[in-house]
Amino acid sequence: MDVIQFMQEEQRKHGGHDIVGLMENITAACRKIATAVNRGAFVGMMGSAGSENIQGETQKKLDIVTNDIFTEGNQWAGHCAGLASEEMDDPYEIPNAYPRGKYLLVYDPLDGSSNVDVNISVGTIFSILVSPNDKPVAKDFLQAGVKQVCAGYALYGSSTMLVLTTGHGVNGFTLDTNTGEFVLTNPNMMIPADTAEFAINASNRRFWEEPVQRYVEECVKGKDGGREKNFNMRWVASMVAEVHRILCRGGVFMYPFDTKDPTKAGKLRIMYEANPMSFIVEQAGGVSSTGRARIMELQPEGLHQRVPVILGSKNEVDRIVGYHTGK
Ligand code: AHG
Ligand code: MN
Ligand code: MN
């Protein structure tokens, strides 16, 4: 079954917000991005664009191209009141030529873009909120994750997949490149509560707080330390790929608070990385926390605000949260 039919049936079954039309635009944009990522080398789209985004990160050409694809594809149909992206300092105003709708769409058009030149999986992350008015400004986007109507990601890997939730579980769709359909291939994805796999960028080790030091140390020691099992480790450096792996076989992913740059609360951004991924993870039976608080309950204070992220298999994340809170 195609994702649009699936969404239509889900809407009929559960009611709530009608996002079928918006999903048609989002899936069309993801298909275009899949092609852009796949064909980048043929059309001179690999490498750096020579510019920086608001967070001081060097933009890749494909960061800009994919941002344009996602923005243009979602501005014209009258579903959105406003758009906001990792790659734009301020919210994008829907041009007056187009009708305005009720939704806010927030996105990371190309997640894991450091991987794009080396042919490792990248993705697109999106979050849908309801706009409080038809001419939204930045503060209208600053809604807690629990307010999300839908969250999803596209993964441009060995196949292109779309994984999403509207609050009724998590479903995965694979792009059939012959027909252009995203076909339901992974219904009702669930994260096992237990795991023996963790993901963290260990080069930041000396900057971590004690609870994360303790947890990773115990995993590395495995049966020779206090744990009942040995652990495996992965780090792709594409959050989309890490979350997808966790949805498929369990695991825990951490980009925790660290003291590397005291002005930054973490690396990942709450509005278009942490919140949508937290919604998906929780809907799949997992847990998502800063270590001290449920991410989806935080009140965002800026469009590009960063937050520590610890998410995945319930029993492991609960353990890490326990190390932070002493409970
Ligand atoms: P983006 O490419 O959108 O800036 O996001 C990259 C993020 C995330 O996907 C990944 O988990 C993390 O940055 C990797 O960071 P390190 O390079 O520090 O490992
Ligand atoms: Mn990202
Ligand atoms: Mn990005």
Side-chain angles (χ1 to χ4, degrees):
M1 184 192 305
D2 176 64
V3 63
I4 299 303
Q5 183 186 346
F6 180 89
M7 298 295 282
Q8 184 78 62
E9 291 184 7
E10 199 174 57
Q11 154 80 23
R12 225 174 275 142
K13 199 164 18 159
H14 301 291
H17 296 286
D18 182 0
I19 54 163
V20 177
L22 177 52
M23 279 312 300
E24 283 181 30
N25 292 155
I26 290 174
T27 52
C30 291
R31 271 193 290 271
K32 281 190 188 157
I33 292 176
T35 304
V37 166
N38 185 255
R39 294 189 54 79
F42 302 142
V43 287
M45 276 201 284
M46 306 313 265
S48 165
S51 53
E52 283 189 351
N53 65 15
I54 190 168
Q55 301 153 69
E57 295 166 340
T58 305
Q59 289 177 306
K60 301 271 184 190
K61 286 182 194 156
L62 276 168
D63 279 321
I64 295 170
V65 169
T66 57
N67 186 60
D68 289 348
I69 292 172
F70 212 81
T71 305
E72 280 161 20
N74 286 291
Q75 66 175 345
W76 57 269
H79 302 302
C80 292
L83 311 173
S85 156
E86 176 186 352
E87 303 303 339
M88 299 187 282
D89 303 4
D90 301 310
Y92 177 85
E93 240 182 78
I94 305 280
N96 286 332
Y98 301 127
R100 292 226 166 92
K102 64 185 244 197
Y103 297 111
L104 299 175
L105 182 60
V106 191
Y107 42 98
D108 175 353
L110 193 63
D111 174 65
S113 57
S114 75
N115 282 324
V116 80
D117 291 336
V118 291
N119 206 352
I120 292 175
S121 298
V122 290
T124 299
I125 310 172
F126 63 89
S127 166
I128 301 173
L129 298 159
V130 175
S131 182
N133 57 63
D134 67 354
K135 257 206 155 174
V137 294
K139 75 168 178 18
D140 297 318
F141 287 77
L142 304 181
Q143 303 182 30
V146 290
K147 299 253 179 76
Q148 292 172 103
V149 169
C150 174
Y153 63 78
L155 171 64
Y156 314 110
S158 43
S159 54
T160 293
M161 286 194 70
L162 188 74
V163 172
L164 50 88
T165 185
T166 56
H168 304 285
V170 178
N171 292 283
F173 305 81
T174 303
L175 179 63
D176 181 337
T177 49
N178 289 333
T179 63
E181 286 180 324
F182 278 102
V183 180
L184 180 64
T185 47
N186 300 50
N188 197 22
M189 298 173 89
M190 292 298 290
I191 300 173
D194 286 305
T195 183
E197 197 161 68
F198 68 101
I200 192 164
N201 182 340
S203 71
N204 293 324
R205 183 173 196 149
R206 69 189 186 283
F207 304 110
W208 299 336
E209 292 184 296
E210 198 278 328
V212 173
Q213 298 275 4
R214 174 183 170 191
Y215 177 73
V216 172
E217 179 86 15
E218 287 176 1
C219 289
V220 170
K221 286 195 174 138
K223 281 183 181 168
D224 294 333
R227 295 301 304 254
E228 68 294 353
K229 57 192 168 190
N230 294 325
F231 278 75
N232 187 21
M233 199 210 77
R234 287 284 185 279
W235 187 251
V236 185
S238 285
M239 188 193 201
V240 167
E242 322 269 10
V243 169
H244 191 70
R245 183 185 64 249
I246 289 170
L247 280 167
C248 291
R249 68 178 190 207
V252 39
F253 167 88
M254 289 169 275
Y255 217 117
F257 175 83
D258 66 42
T259 57
K260 197 172 179 180
D261 178 349
T263 63
K264 294 177 183 166
K267 172 162 188 191
L268 300 172
R269 282 62 51 109
I270 189 165
M271 295 300 298
Y272 41 81
E273 290 173 323
N275 271 344
M277 290 311 204
S278 299
F279 192 16
I280 292 169
V281 164
E282 287 194 8
Q283 282 294 315
V287 177
S288 182
S289 171
T290 64
R292 298 183 169 88
R294 183 181 172 213
I295 288 178
M296 288 220 290
E297 286 175 8
L298 299 176
Q299 173 58 48
E301 275 154 20
L303 216 45
H304 303 284
Q305 182 188 330
R306 296 173 193 264
V307 67
V309 175
I310 298 169
L311 59 77
S313 291
K314 182 178 186 322
N315 292 341
E316 290 301 307
V317 179
D318 283 350
R319 174 188 283 261
I320 303 165
V321 171
Y323 289 0
H324 282 83
T325 57
K327 283 179 206 146

